């Protein structure tokens, strides 16, 4: 287990079927993993441009950007006018060609009307819930899979909104879980798999998020990390070719290796909601390299200073 680059023993000794890696090792793909941009006003637009320029200005330039959600500041509590402004500002950046392709998934803050009284929604609006974000992000399906660079890529949506109580929890709905099971099953065993989802399926940093010792026990909210993480981890562990799971949401960066699967939570472009670092983690993104033998490298990059934290 790596917490912000610090190593501690966990889970790596749990046996699972051996992964029959393809012979040879060549890098097949390099991308930048952005998460939690939380685009609001002009300051955030400037800073996201700075992050993009930083990533695309790398000597070894990433071939694309993968955005793991929370693209806008907060649609969960925004009225229609404020929500529209956030999407306008988002499109002022991503509505045009930035030089590399960008792929998006949904985050909890991209869902409009979770707090219906604050948003002034009824639930009957055509853009209610996840629809507005899917339209803006040009996502046909909130979860999907495809092949690229020899890897199977799986994008997931782990946010279940509770519109009645103005909250949400991190887990996969039954339909998506079944789809994930069959997608894993139908992927050839020699093909490495990368999964991208917003809330971490498993994170060590989640235990240090906020005051978790009030009762004397660690307590991790259902909105913070997947409440079905144990079940999902068991499923993933059955497939030796599931090598990497990327997430954001926490605004913290860590890596957990558990039951043969590496989970990397890659911080936030906005850091502490556009107010510097969050709990010691500066605004940043990760550079991710995928290799033909199923291995990967994941390096967190603080884009404001150019400082590099230990890779995870
Ligand atoms: Zn989030």
């Amino acid at each position: 287990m790596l917490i912000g680059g610090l190593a501690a023993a966990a889970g790596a000794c749990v046996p699972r079927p051996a992964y029959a890696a393809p012979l040879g090792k060549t890098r097949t793909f390099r991308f930048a993993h952005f998460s939690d941009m939380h685009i609001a006003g002009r300051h955030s637009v400037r800073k996201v441009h700075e992050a993009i320029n930083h990533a695309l200005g790398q000597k070894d330039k990433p071939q694309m950007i993968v955005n793991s959600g929370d693209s806008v500041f907060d649609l969960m509590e925004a009225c229609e006018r404020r929500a529209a402004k956030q999407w306008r500002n988002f499109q002022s950046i991503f509505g045009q060609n930035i030089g590399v392709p960008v792929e998006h998934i949904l985050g909890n803050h991209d869902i409009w009307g979770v707090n219906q009284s604050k948003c002034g929604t009824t639930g009957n609006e055509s853009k209610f819930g996840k629809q507005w974000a899917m339209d803006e992000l040009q996502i046909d399906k909130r979860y999907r899979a495809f092949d690229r660079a020899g890897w199977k890529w799986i994008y997931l949506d782990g946010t279940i909104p509770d519109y009645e109580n103005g909250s949400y929890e991190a887990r996969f709905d039954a339909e998506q879980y079944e789809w994930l099971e069959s997608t894993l099953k139908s992927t050839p065993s020699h093909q490495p798999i990368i999964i991208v989802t917003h809330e971490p399926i498993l994170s060590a940093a989640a235990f240090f998020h906020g005051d978790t010792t009030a009762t004397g026990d660690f307590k991790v909210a259902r909105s913070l990390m997947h409440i079905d993480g144990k079940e999902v981890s068991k499923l993933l562990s059955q497939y030796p070719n599931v090598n990497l799971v990327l997430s954001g949401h926490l605004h913290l960066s860590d890596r957990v290796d558990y039951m043969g699967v590496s989970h990397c939570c890659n911080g936030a472009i906005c850091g502490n909601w556009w107010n510097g670092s969050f709990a010691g983690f500066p605004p940043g993104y990760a550079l991710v390299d995928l290799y033909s033998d199923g291995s990967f490298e994941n390096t967190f990059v603080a884009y404001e200073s150019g400082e590099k934290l230990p890779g995870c």
Side-chain angles (χ1 to χ4, degrees):
M1 185 184 300
L2 295 179
I3 305 169
L6 297 175
C13 57
V14 173
R16 67 171 187 168
Y19 170 55
L23 291 175
K25 177 178 178 175
T26 52
R27 190 175 80 185
T28 57
F29 205 71
R30 160 166 271 221
F31 66 96
H33 175 207
F34 279 32
S35 198
D36 297 79
M37 289 188 277
H38 289 288
I39 294 170
R42 272 190 292 182
H43 173 70
S44 62
V45 170
R46 261 199 317 272
K47 297 299 282 183
V48 170
H49 273 300
E50 185 183 335
I52 292 170
N53 291 339
H54 193 278
L56 302 189
Q58 293 280 338
K59 210 167 152 190
D60 190 358
K61 182 179 156 180
Q63 293 160 265
M64 72 177 300
I65 291 174
V66 174
N67 161 31
S68 65
D70 283 2
S71 298
V72 285
F73 196 73
D74 185 19
L75 257 63
M76 289 170 60
E77 298 194 344
C79 67
E80 185 167 7
R81 187 182 57 80
R82 278 183 45 227
K85 186 180 171 198
Q86 291 173 30
W87 283 123
R88 264 199 315 278
N89 284 333
F90 172 89
Q91 295 299 1
S92 75
I93 304 168
F94 293 102
Q96 51 201 310
N97 182 358
I98 63 161
V100 292
V102 186
E103 288 175 350
H104 310 278
I105 65 167
L106 297 171
N108 56 297
H109 287 283
D110 302 322
I111 305 172
W112 187 44
V114 173
N115 187 324
Q116 297 223 48
S117 60
K118 283 193 175 171
C119 296
T121 49
T122 64
N124 295 320
E125 295 83 1
S126 60
K127 296 182 284 193
F128 183 76
K130 296 177 180 178
Q131 192 57 51
W132 198 347
M134 290 178 69
D135 293 345
E136 297 281 351
L137 301 173
Q138 299 186 337
I139 296 173
D140 290 337
K141 291 183 178 169
R142 60 192 176 85
Y143 54 89
R144 54 207 192 271
F146 53 91
D147 295 329
R148 175 188 291 137
W151 285 58
K152 173 76 76 182
W153 295 59
I154 301 178
Y155 288 171
L156 298 174
D157 166 29
T159 308
I160 309 265
D162 176 355
Y163 297 111
E164 274 181 26
N165 296 303
S167 62
Y168 66 95
E169 62 183 29
R171 70 176 164 84
F172 299 123
D173 53 278
E175 171 195 304
Q176 187 173 184
Y177 188 87
E178 267 177 38
W179 173 88
L180 177 61
E181 270 185 317
S182 71
T183 302
L184 294 172
K185 205 175 278 181
S186 64
T187 301
S189 60
H190 65 270
Q191 185 177 22
I193 297 174
I194 174 174
I195 293 174
V196 185
T197 192
H198 180 66
E199 294 92 346
I201 291 169
L202 180 60
S203 160
F207 288 86
F208 299 157
H209 199 286
D211 179 13
T212 52
T213 56
T215 63
D217 294 319
F218 280 116
K219 192 178 169 191
V220 178
R222 69 183 63 182
S223 58
L224 210 55
M225 185 169 82
H226 266 251
I227 202 73
D228 57 355
K230 193 174 170 183
E231 186 188 359
V232 176
S233 287
K234 198 174 162 195
L235 171 67
L236 300 183
S237 74
Q238 293 166 25
Y239 295 90
N241 50 337
V242 178
N243 292 347
L244 177 59
V245 179
L246 298 179
S247 67
H249 187 56
L250 301 183
H251 299 211
L252 303 169
S253 175
D254 73 358
R255 167 174 170 165
V256 175
D257 289 335
Y258 182 70
M259 297 176 87
V261 179
S262 300
H263 301 255
C264 287
C265 183
N266 278 329
I269 292 291
C270 78
N272 184 19
W273 297 83
W274 299 116
N275 191 22
S277 296
F278 179 73
F281 288 84
Y285 61 90
L287 286 171
V288 185
D289 292 322
L290 302 180
Y291 293 90
S292 57
D293 65 351
S295 61
F296 70 90
E297 285 169 27
N298 183 98
T299 306
F300 183 80
V301 180
Y303 66 85
E304 289 187 314
S305 64
E307 170 200 3
K308 277 196 178 185
L309 294 180
C312 77

